[in-house]
Amino acid sequence: MNHTDEPRLTAAEKAKVAVLVLRMAKRGIADPDRHGHGTVDMSDLERRVEQVIDGARKREERAAKFQ
C-alpha cells in the first residue's frame, strides 16, 4: 500500500492504533517461542487496526463530499 493511499488519522485514531500496537508488543513479549515463527495469534488486533484505518478512510471520503 502506498503512503498516499493511507488516510490522515485524528488524535483519537492515533491513540487507538498506538494502544493496539502496544498490546501486540505485549503479546509478542509473552510468546514462549519468540525466537521462532511465533505461536501467538495477533489477527484480532491486526483486524482492529485495519478497522480504525478503514473508519478514517470513510471519514475522509465523507468530508471530501462536503467540500
Side-chain angles (χ1 to χ4, degrees), residues 32-51:
D33 191 25
R34 283 191 293 246
H35 304 291
H37 295 295
T39 57
V40 176
D41 181 27
M42 294 193 201
S43 63
D44 60 323
L45 297 176
E46 292 168 348
R47 184 175 51 250
R48 289 178 62 189
V49 169
E50 287 300 319
Q51 288 173 345

Side-chain angles (χ1 to χ4, degrees), residues 9-25:
L9 300 177
T10 63
E13 291 164 340
K14 287 179 185 178
K16 287 177 187 177
V17 170
V19 168
L20 293 168
V21 169
L22 288 173
R23 289 182 64 192
M24 286 182 204

Side-chain angles (χ1 to χ4, degrees), residues 2 4 23-25 27 31-32 34 51 53 58 60 63:
N2 192 348
T4 59
R23 289 182 64 192
M24 286 182 204
R27 285 187 188 180
D31 184 4
R34 283 191 293 246
Q51 288 173 345
I53 293 171
K58 289 177 184 176
E60 282 191 345

